[in-house]
Amino acid sequence: MALLSTTDFPLLIEKRDGSSHGRIDLHTHTQCSDGSLSPQTLIDRAVNYQIDVLAITDHDTLAGIDIAQRYINDQNIPITLISGVEISTIWQGFEIHIVGHNFDKNNDQLRQLITDQQQAREQRAITIGEKLAKCGFPDAYDDAKKSAGEGSITRAHFAKVLFVQGHVGTMQKAFDQYLGKKGRNTQKAYVKPTWCSIEQAIDAIHAAGGSAVIAHPIRYDLSAKWLRRLIVHFKDCAGDGLEIVLPQMPPQQRQTMLNYCLEYDLHASTGSDFHHPNKWSDLGKNLILPNGAKPVWAMWN
Ligand code: AMP
Ligand code: MN
Ligand code: MN
Ligand code: MN
């Protein structure tokens, strides 16, 4: 899979249906991390939703990309797949997600970082399992591991186990009561992760020829002051953009994020953060970038 350039995206530049770019979704998950669809099923769904350009951005793994690309080639499916990844980082005690796009999957520096992050995930999962055992759920680790299979193990796998076994009423409650962290407040089975830094994530993505954006900046529960600090730090680390469009975002919030992009000369990305079919959002829905945004794909040349 060669790196793509702006000229590979006529559909995105042309106006279609009155919108400023074609159907694009640059943030999605598969069973290779905590999504519920296989890469193949995700591709089928994307085609049904008339997506022109899709990035698979699983948590700290590149495994889904090849599987999806092979399927696209074998079935001759009319969709452009972008290499992607969502890297967990730690900054000032906050877990910040960095999404990388359009990189060389075989780059050594990026692969090494992924290997380290996988080890951090395994290690953290073991400790989460020990803490949940103390809470009275001795099988949580084995069950979460089984559910993750070969994929990246995440807290979502633990949350699902607690929910399916009836220990909590919803997945959200599993985070609220056991796995989560709200502000400085940590729950019983929260484990401080040993993720890489923002700078390391950006450097690895850049080394592989890709672009790096802050994923869902609105979801970190940061005050305006801290969000600005994060953006300034990200910019100092040579980060490229912000994910300014997510489904279900009030226009005012979109505008605020666009203003940050303009103020700090950052590109803009858009994605659904699709994990599984639900009634509030889906692939490629409500993802048009606002006027004035510099799309992240404009730097792919
Ligand atoms: P991890 O990357 O292992 O920390 O797992 C976090 C994943 O759990 C996120 O990517 C979400 O998909 C999912 N998740 C669902 N609800 C929450 C929540 N309340 N807080 C954090 N993560 C959540
Ligand atoms: Mn997730
Ligand atoms: Mn995320
Ligand atoms: Mn995500």
Side-chain angles (χ1 to χ4, degrees):
M1 202 163 113
L3 294 195
L4 297 158
S5 78
T6 315
T7 51
D8 294 313
F9 297 95
L11 264 173
L12 298 182
I13 291 148
E14 223 172 71
K15 294 222 176 200
R16 213 183 61 161
D17 306 338
S19 58
S20 52
H21 55 76
R23 284 257 214 177
I24 184 160
D25 194 329
L26 296 179
H27 188 156
T28 68
H29 295 273
T30 75
Q31 280 168 359
C32 293
S33 64
D34 56 352
S36 64
L37 305 185
S38 67
Q40 293 92 332
T41 317
L42 183 82
I43 294 299
D44 286 341
R45 193 178 186 86
V47 171
N48 277 339
Y49 279 78
Q50 297 176 295
I51 308 283
D52 303 306
V53 177
L54 181 81
I56 291 178
T57 53
D58 276 313
H59 298 287
D60 299 305
T61 176
L62 311 177
I65 305 167
D66 282 339
I67 301 172
Q69 190 61 58
R70 217 171 304 131
Y71 181 64
I72 290 168
N73 296 349
D74 288 351
Q75 309 283 321
N76 212 356
I77 295 172
I79 195 167
T80 302
L81 184 73
I82 306 290
S83 53
V85 65
E86 181 170 15
I87 300 175
S88 291
T89 73
I90 194 98
W91 172 77
Q92 302 280 339
F94 299 106
E95 291 187 44
I96 306 297
H97 293 176
I98 303 295
V99 164
H101 289 126
N102 202 34
F103 47 75
D104 170 13
K105 296 184 299 337
N106 301 314
N107 176 268
D108 286 341
Q109 189 177 336
L110 181 60
R111 293 205 84 90
Q112 184 58 52
L113 181 108
I114 296 293
T115 303
D116 294 347
Q117 293 279 106
Q118 282 298 326
Q119 257 165 30
R121 281 193 174 274
E122 286 300 331
Q123 215 47 55
R124 184 189 62 156
I126 291 168
T127 317
I128 291 175
E130 287 166 1
K131 292 199 171 196
L132 285 174
K134 286 194 185 134
C135 295
F137 315 124
D139 301 328
Y141 174 77
D142 285 346
D143 293 344
K145 197 68 191 145
K146 214 176 289 163
S147 154
E150 298 277 285
S152 259
I153 187 160
T154 73
R155 283 182 296 164
H157 294 100
F158 283 98
K160 193 167 160 213
V161 165
L162 295 178
F163 169 66
V164 168
Q165 297 183 352
H167 305 306
V168 290
T170 61
M171 298 244 310
Q172 183 56 47
K173 286 218 168 97
F175 281 93
D176 296 344
Q177 293 171 18
Y178 296 102
L179 300 164
K181 177 180 179 193
K182 196 127 205 154
R184 304 279 165 201
N185 230 347
T186 58
Q187 302 307 321
K188 283 172 276 204
Y190 180 80
V191 176
K192 203 172 151 219
T194 53
W195 307 139
C196 65
S197 67
I198 289 178
E199 186 170 21
Q200 286 169 319
I202 295 172
D203 284 353
I205 292 165
H206 282 172
S211 53
V213 302
I214 300 180
H216 44 66
I218 54 171
R219 286 210 206 126
Y220 300 115
D221 269 335
L222 297 173
S223 66
K225 187 174 90 181
W226 276 98
L227 180 56
R228 190 175 282 280
R229 276 189 192 162
L230 168 63
I231 294 169
V232 167
H233 175 69
F234 177 77
K235 183 77 190 173
D236 285 345
C237 296
D240 303 298
L242 307 180
E243 195 174 72
I244 68 167
V245 173
L246 297 140
Q248 299 259 298
M249 216 175 156
Q252 180 52 47
Q253 215 166 26
R254 248 170 232 209
Q255 187 58 46
T256 307
M257 294 303 128
L258 173 61
N259 289 345
Y260 283 123
C261 282
L262 299 174
E263 183 176 348
Y264 292 99
D265 190 27
L266 289 162
H267 287 75
S269 188
T270 176
S272 61
D273 201 6
F274 178 88
H275 282 75
H276 34 77
N278 70 66
K279 51 180 186 269
W280 301 283
S281 72
D282 216 310
L283 291 173
K285 265 170 91 177
N286 293 326
L287 294 180
I288 298 294
L289 284 179
N291 282 335
K294 248 188 333 182
V296 72
W297 53 87
M299 41 182 313
W300 296 345
N301 51 32

